[in-house]
Amino acid sequence: MSATLYAYAFLDDFVLLYPVYALLFSDTGLSVWQISSLFALWSLTGVVLEVPSGAWADAVSRRLLLWLGPLLTAVGFALWVLVPSYWAFALGFVLWGTRGALGSGALEALVYEELERLGAADRYAHVMGRAHAAGLVAVMAAMGLAGPVFARGGFLAVGAASVLACLASAAVATRFPEHRAAAEGGGEGWAATLKAGLAEVRRERSLRGAILLVPAVSAVWGALDEYTPLLVHDTGVSEARVPYLLLLIWAGATAGSLLAGRCERLARKGLAWLLAGAAAALAAGALAGTPLALGLVGLAFGGFQLATVLADVRLQQRIEDTGRATLTSVAGLGTELATVAVYAGYAAIEARTGHGIAFALFAVPYLVTALLLAARRPSG
C-alpha cells in the first residue's frame, strides 16, 4: 500500500499550474480582492461538502472518492487555461474544492485502518510523513518544470501538464487496497454514520481537543501558501524566476514532513516551541523582503508542516474505528472555516500594507496557539 500512497501523493501535487496560477489570475486582470474571493469560494466549497463527504466515505467506499476527486480537478484546470475568466476560475475552484472534500478524511482513514489491519498502526506518522514529503517533492518538481514549460508554451502548456497529472492520480487511486465493508443502508447508513460521528465529538473531550488542534496548526499557513508566488514576486524577481524561488520555501516544508516519524512523540510543550519558532521565522523572512530571506519562510513552513502531520497523528490515535473519515472531516471543516477567514483577512490587510507585512501579521495566530498549548494542563 505504501508505494501506491506515495505515488498518489506525488501525482496529486505534480501540478505545474501551482506556482503560476496566481499569476494567471493577475494577468487576466483580477484584483487581489477577486483572487481572494476565489480562494474563499474554494474553501467554502469544502465547508459545505467536508463533513458529508467524510460520512459518505465511511458509508460507501473511500477508494471511490479518492479516484473520483482528481477527475473533477482535471476538468477545472482545463477550464482555467481554455477560457480564462473570473467565472471559469470560480467553477474550477468549486470542482477543486469538491475534490479536496472527497479526499479529506477518506485518505487518512483508509491508510490508518489498512495499517491497523496489518498490525502497523504505530507506523502511521512515518508513512503519512513520507506521503506528505512525496507530495511536496512533487510540488518542487512542478515548480522546477513550470519555468521552462511556461517559457515554451505559456499557461496552456502548464495547464495541459496539470490535467495529465490529475488523470494519472485518478488511475493510481484505483490501486488502493480497501478491506473494510461499506456500511449498509444507503442514505440511512450515511446519515447514521454522520450522526454517530458528531455524537462522539460531543462526548469525548480529548477528541475535541485533537480536532481543534488540526485547524489551529494547518489553516493559516495553508492559506498563505496561495499567496507565496505574490510574496516572492514582491522581492523584485521576474515572473520566470518565481517558481525557482518557491522551491526554497517548499524544500523546508518537505524537510518538515520527513521529520514526522522521528518527532511523533513530541510533547505538548515541544509542539508549542515548534509553533513559536516557526512563527518567528515566518515574520522575519516575510518582513525582510529579499529573495535570500525566503529561506526563513521555508524554515517556517517546515515547522508548520511538521506540526500539521503531528496534529493528524494525534487525532487518528483518539478516534475509534467507526466513523474515522467522518471525524477527520470534522477537523477538515474547522480548517476550511479558518482558511476562509484568513483569505478575507489577508485581502483586507494586504490592500493597506503589502504582502510582506500581511505574512508577518499572520504569524500571530501561531504564537497564540503556542501559548495556549504551553499553558494547558495535561488532561491525564
Side-chain angles (χ1 to χ4, degrees), residues 123-176:
R123 297 190 67 248
Y124 179 78
H126 177 80
V127 170
M128 288 304 289
R130 287 195 170 189
H132 282 286
L136 292 170
V137 168
V139 171
M140 291 190 293
M143 289 174 181
L145 288 173
V149 172
F150 179 80
R152 292 181 66 87
F155 290 116
L156 185 62
V158 295
S162 300
V163 169
L164 290 175
C166 292
L167 296 177
S169 176
V172 170
T174 63
R175 305 296 299 171
F176 274 117

